[in-house]
Amino acid sequence: MRRGSKKQGIVILWSKSSQINYERLSYLCGRLANWYLKKPISIIKIESEQKNSRTFRYPDGKLEKTEWNNIGRFDAYNLSPYDETLLIDSDYIVQCDTLANYFGSKYDFVCHNSSWDVSGNDVFRHDRYMTRNCFDMRWATVVYFKKSTHAKMIFDTWRSVYKNYAFYSELFGFNKAPFRNDYAMSIAHQMCNGYSNTQTFDYALPALASSDSILDYVDGRWILKYQYKNSYNALRYTGDLHVMNKKSLLDADTDVYTKLWNSIG
């Protein structure tokens, strides 16, 4: 990884899972983020305070309970060695320099307030709100923050929501299990910003649902497989991508991982 100033950098957190090699994903994520954003990388292993799991719908409609030890993301403020940090999930694959433009932001904490399904199926329409009373959801996949009093308050509140998750689930009206960082951060972000839709990225989070998959990666373009009604289709896509079907990134048959790794110098 390139060396750089400790003033600005990228942090990727990962924890061990019996089903998915998050460490391997983290190094791919870090390599590409370092190349395109030209910032130093810190890949940090965290020990989850408790086990967590979530049921995902994979291609062909298969439902699978997946170990999802994502608890501890609220510690990023204390773990980051940088004055300005871009916190990225290990399954977010950077393909351009767009996120680099947020370093030096006038805001102390920035996250996405919407997610865009690159297949066009709009499967994330149900995630626009996290409750039936239309409480706006935020996405914790990519977060920019500074070492500041305001950002620390959001992270501290995020941790507090985790510690009292059952209470907040009753208060806001969502399931108390599994724990979702998106929900905890949404509450913290809005509480600390006066419940206003501010301090968010000015574009939606580009994402591919867990029910879709990556067929190939060729010359800087994704070849994606998605289902529309009863048919399966393929499309070409160029750009950053939050790959919710992590298994397709690690699939030995398509070897997309190696193709992404070797796509840069």
Side-chain angles (χ1 to χ4, degrees):
M1 299 293 180
R2 298 172 185 170
R3 296 183 180 276
S5 169
K6 287 294 185 183
K7 292 184 178 180
Q8 299 177 337
I10 299 163
V11 168
I12 301 164
L13 305 179
W14 70 276
S15 54
K16 192 172 182 180
S17 167
S18 61
Q19 293 167 286
I20 296 172
N21 191 339
Y22 282 101
E23 181 179 18
R24 191 164 182 246
L25 284 176
S26 294
Y27 279 96
L28 175 64
C29 172
R31 175 176 167 81
L32 293 166
N34 172 252
W35 176 264
Y36 286 105
L37 306 181
K38 295 178 171 55
K39 300 295 180 184
I41 305 288
S42 294
I43 297 173
I44 303 170
K45 181 182 180 183
I46 56 174
E47 299 294 339
S48 293
E49 297 188 17
Q50 68 182 64
K51 294 289 185 180
N52 200 29
S53 63
R54 182 180 174 186
T55 300
F56 288 94
R57 183 180 298 277
Y58 288 105
D60 300 323
K62 181 182 178 182
L63 293 175
E64 184 176 317
K65 190 173 183 180
T66 304
E67 191 175 354
W68 196 44
N69 297 328
N70 60 337
I71 299 171
R73 202 164 169 75
F74 40 69
D75 286 330
Y77 184 91
N78 295 323
L79 293 171
S80 174
Y82 309 111
D83 297 328
E84 294 181 64
T85 301
L86 197 64
L87 174 65
I88 302 178
D89 268 6
S90 60
D91 59 358
Y92 186 86
I93 306 300
V94 176
Q95 292 285 281
C96 65
D97 64 357
T98 298
L99 286 169
N101 296 319
Y102 286 90
F103 286 102
S105 171
K106 65 180 180 179
Y107 297 122
D108 294 340
F109 188 105
V110 183
C111 60
H112 284 100
N113 65 351
S114 61
S115 186
W116 166 52
D117 177 8
V118 299
S119 77
N121 278 333
D122 196 22
V123 298
F124 304 114
R125 64 188 180 277
H126 304 297
D127 291 315
R128 289 172 187 156
Y129 306 107
M130 52 181 275
T131 65
R132 291 181 179 178
N133 61 357
C134 297
F135 187 85
D136 288 335
M137 189 171 122
R138 305 285 187 261
W139 290 82
T141 307
V142 179
V143 174
Y144 163 82
F145 66 90
K146 298 177 182 178
K147 288 294 179 72
S148 69
T149 302
H150 181 67
K152 187 177 187 302
M153 179 172 61
I154 294 176
F155 277 100
D156 287 346
T157 306
W158 186 347
R159 170 181 276 277
S160 178
V161 173
Y162 160 67
K163 292 289 188 182
N164 300 279
Y165 201 67
F167 166 77
Y168 282 100
S169 70
E170 292 289 336
L171 180 65
F172 286 94
F174 56 85
N175 293 331
K176 64 180 179 180
F179 169 75
R180 289 194 62 179
N181 275 304
D182 298 320
Y183 286 7
M185 192 202 69
S186 295
I187 295 169
H189 185 268
Q190 296 210 51
M191 286 178 68
C192 296
N193 288 307
Y195 295 93
S196 60
N197 193 14
T198 60
Q199 300 194 32
T200 58
F201 291 112
D202 57 5
Y203 66 97
L205 176 73
L208 185 72
S210 62
S211 55
D212 301 325
S213 58
I214 304 167
L215 291 177
D216 207 346
Y217 180 85
V218 182
D219 297 329
R221 288 186 177 185
W222 302 93
I223 312 297
L224 308 174
K225 177 183 176 182
Y226 68 98
Q227 183 175 359
Y228 178 70
K229 295 184 178 179
N230 296 321
S231 66
Y232 291 92
N233 305 276
L235 65 85
R236 290 186 177 91
Y237 168 75
T238 303
D240 290 5
L241 190 61
H242 178 208
V243 184
M244 299 187 72
N245 182 356
K246 302 162 187 62
K247 292 183 177 182
S248 66
L249 275 173
L250 297 168
D251 190 337
D253 291 334
T254 60
D255 204 19
V256 168
Y257 185 101
T258 301
K259 293 172 183 177
L260 282 163
W261 186 277
N262 293 333
S263 66
I264 58 176

